[in-house]
Amino acid sequence: QVQLQESGPGLVKPSGTLSLTCAVSGDSITNTDWCSWVRQPPGKGLEWIGELSHSGGTNYNPSLKSRVTMSLDRSKQQFSLMLSSVTAGDTAIYYCARNLDDWGQGTLVTVSS
Amino acid sequence: QTVVTQEPSLTVSPGGTVTLTCGSSTGAVTSTYDAHWFQQKPGQAPRALISGTSNKHSWTPARFSGSLLGGKAALTLSGAQPEDEADYYCLLSYGGSWVFGGGTKVTVL
């Protein structure tokens, strides 16, 4: 059974960079076509952030594209998200997903000074 | 900016049938939009139910089905159970980008 686990700081200062990692266990990450990140502001709906292919290709939400970077570390079985120049509007639960089928439990990131 | 539209809320009686729809501001939804459906219960991560318009996952209860209906993607719940009360989100593909609908809150009452 595939499991995904997000990790990273729960508090980020405004104008700083949000950095999260998703660890994949139970299957080789090379068997993943697309590694995705999705976020959900408290009490609101889901927002697709972007996706990263096993070969390194990326697709990002156009509204976030200028601030997003995703990367893959096959040796560590993990993939990462970086979101720069954050504001309070980036406060959300961040989820990682594998092929949009398997999801992590999510991690709350708060942007505040 | 592309908008994906879902009913904000629907109510279904236990054992009843309800259909949720997912429309696109770009026009009729077809199979190329690769519609996905997710269920989310309070305090939990989303759970995938349907991919590729109508393909169920191994864990998807048989009472859920996906289709195209009247130019929209649709999720039909037949024989609703109390545990089906949740938020449901659709997700559509726009050639390398994905957009979620606003979600439908389904109440089983």
Side-chain angles (χ1 to χ4, degrees):
Chain A
Q1 180 179 350
V2 177
Q3 291 189 323
L4 290 83
Q5 179 66 59
E6 304 89 349
S7 61
L11 181 64
V12 181
K13 294 186 184 303
S15 78
T17 297
L18 178 159
S19 183
L20 296 174
T21 296
C22 180
V24 180
S25 60
D27 190 15
S28 172
I29 200 169
T30 57
N31 291 331
T32 301
D33 292 330
W34 292 98
C35 302
S36 304
W37 289 95
V38 173
R39 69 180 183 179
Q40 185 171 38
K44 296 188 177 182
L46 301 172
E47 180 180 31
W48 180 79
I49 299 171
E51 61 187 4
L52 172 68
S53 75
H54 64 83
S55 62
T58 56
N59 292 308
Y60 297 145
N61 185 322
S63 68
L64 300 171
K65 187 174 184 177
S66 63
R67 299 193 290 132
V68 173
T69 302
M70 295 182 183
S71 60
L72 178 68
D73 188 331
R74 296 178 186 80
S75 64
K76 293 184 178 179
Q77 285 274 110
Q78 64 186 33
F79 58 101
S80 301
L81 167 70
M82 294 182 67
L83 181 66
S84 63
S85 305
V86 297
T87 68
D90 294 310
T91 294
I93 297 172
Y94 285 76
Y95 297 100
C96 61
R98 191 186 84 133
N99 297 331
L100 296 172
D101 297 337
D102 304 300
W103 290 61
Q105 64 186 22
T107 186
L108 175 63
V109 178
T110 302
V111 178
S112 175
S113 55
Chain B
Q1 182 177 344
T2 302
V3 177
V4 176
T5 304
Q6 297 183 247
E7 298 86 1
S9 64
L10 292 170
T11 300
V12 60
S13 300
T17 296
V18 64
T19 297
L20 290 65
T21 67
C22 177
S24 173
S25 62
T26 59
V29 176
T30 64
S31 60
T32 60
Y33 285 77
D34 195 18
H36 286 58
W37 290 92
F38 302 89
Q39 177 192 65
Q40 187 180 35
K41 296 181 179 180
Q44 296 184 16
R47 182 177 72 143
L49 290 177
I50 300 288
S51 65
T53 304
S54 59
N55 299 312
K56 298 181 186 181
H57 297 284
S58 59
W59 55 81
T60 303
R63 59 185 179 273
F64 289 95
S65 62
S67 65
L68 295 175
L69 188 66
K72 297 181 180 182
L75 177 71
T76 299
L77 170 57
S78 303
Q81 301 297 310
E83 61 265 30
D84 299 327
E85 188 161 291
D87 293 326
Y88 292 82
Y89 293 90
C90 68
L91 178 67
L92 298 180
S93 172
Y94 292 88
S97 182
W98 295 84
V99 180
F100 279 100
T104 296
K105 183 177 183 60
V106 171
T107 301
V108 181
L109 188 62

